[in-house]
Amino acid sequence: AQSVTQLDSHVSVSEGTPVLLRCNYSSSYSPSLFWYVQHPNKGLQLLLKYTSAATLVKGINGFEAEFKKSETSFHLTKPSAHMSDAAEYFCVVSEAWRALTFGSGTRLQVQP
Amino acid sequence: EAQVTQNPRYLITVTGKKLTVTCSQNMNHEYMSWYRQDPGLGLRQIYYSMNVEVTDKGDVPEGYKVSRKEKRNFPLILESPSPNQTSLYFCASSLSRSRTGRDLPQHFGDGTRLSIL
């Protein structure tokens, strides 16, 4: 069975400082992994995806994530936070033919 | 513009009064899905559809029905809504569900906030 755990429900950073949003997953197979972002009153937008190619995945808006099989982790990072990054972020795992399984979300606050 | 459109965006109604939330996509996607989002629980899948006339239960199907008579539309039906179905609902679509599990990313609608009194 697949599952995903987002280790922090809230993260607060100052503008211009690095962002780290942590995600651990459990999967019986080689999964696909995604990060989505949700801005207030909006649907989810894909940031990046891992599908067994390069383990370091680059996404939109300067975000990237590294797939570490030995640690079953897929943490999301950004070198320098911007005010517009304030949103909720979801880590998502998917195995063959199964539904997407969403983490519970991490709310990112960016302080001026 | 490629999009998934849900209607209504907001609805307040009463227990037992049947309602339908429509979902339409203009990308000729085969796969469509409904999720509900509740605080602290992330998104949970209600139903999904692999193609026209093919639907299946997700993780939380109780109290919901769906139909897929046309490729572009995937309505969510609450025959007898109850307060525990108060939630934020999202429709999503993707080109297909790949057999290797390398799911193509899903496109999401902007959500429908339902309040059942």
Side-chain angles (χ1 to χ4, degrees), chain A residues 16-56:
Chain A
T17 64
V19 175
L20 170 63
L21 305 183
R22 299 182 294 164
C23 172
N24 282 51
Y25 71 92
S26 172
S27 174
S28 305
Y29 306 98
S30 295
S32 298
L33 293 159
F34 308 85
W35 275 99
Y36 282 85
V37 60
Q38 184 182 28
H39 291 278
N41 299 314
K42 286 292 185 182
L44 280 75
Q45 179 186 17
L46 180 69
L47 276 179
L48 50 81
K49 62 177 178 176
Y50 166 78
T51 56
S52 82
T55 56
L56 183 62

Side-chain angles (χ1 to χ4, degrees), chain A residues 1-19:
Chain A
Q2 61 185 20
S3 66
V4 59
T5 302
Q6 291 184 241
L7 297 165
D8 306 290
S9 58
H10 289 88
V11 170
S12 183
V13 301
S14 298
E15 191 174 19
T17 64
V19 175

Side-chain angles (χ1 to χ4, degrees), chain B residues 12 23-24 26 39 55 57-58 73 85 96 102 104 109 116:
Chain B
I12 301 174
C23 174
S24 180
N26 63 359
T55 63
K57 297 177 181 178
N73 295 323
Q85 294 178 297
S96 67
R102 304 300 183 224
L104 298 173
I116 316 293

Side-chain angles (χ1 to χ4, degrees), chain B residues 40-113:
Chain B
L41 296 177
L43 276 74
R44 295 176 293 167
Q45 191 179 54
I46 303 170
Y47 269 94
Y48 64 94
S49 170
M50 303 286 279
N51 213 325
V52 176
E53 301 292 0
V54 180
T55 63
D56 210 345
K57 297 177 181 178
D59 295 320
V60 288
E62 294 78 20
Y64 304 95
K65 284 175 55 177
V66 293
S67 68
R68 188 90 181 276
K69 293 182 170 44
E70 307 164 280
K71 199 170 190 179
R72 63 182 293 126
N73 295 323
F74 190 45
L76 179 70
I77 303 156
L78 284 71
E79 294 270 5
S80 183
S82 62
N84 65 9
Q85 294 178 297
T86 293
S87 187
L88 179 58
Y89 292 84
F90 287 100
C91 181
S93 73
S94 64
L95 194 57
S96 67
R97 290 296 304 275
S98 76
R99 293 184 185 279
T100 63
R102 304 300 183 224
D103 288 292
L104 298 173
Q106 297 193 15
H107 297 257
F108 285 82
D110 284 343
T112 295
R113 189 168 291 282

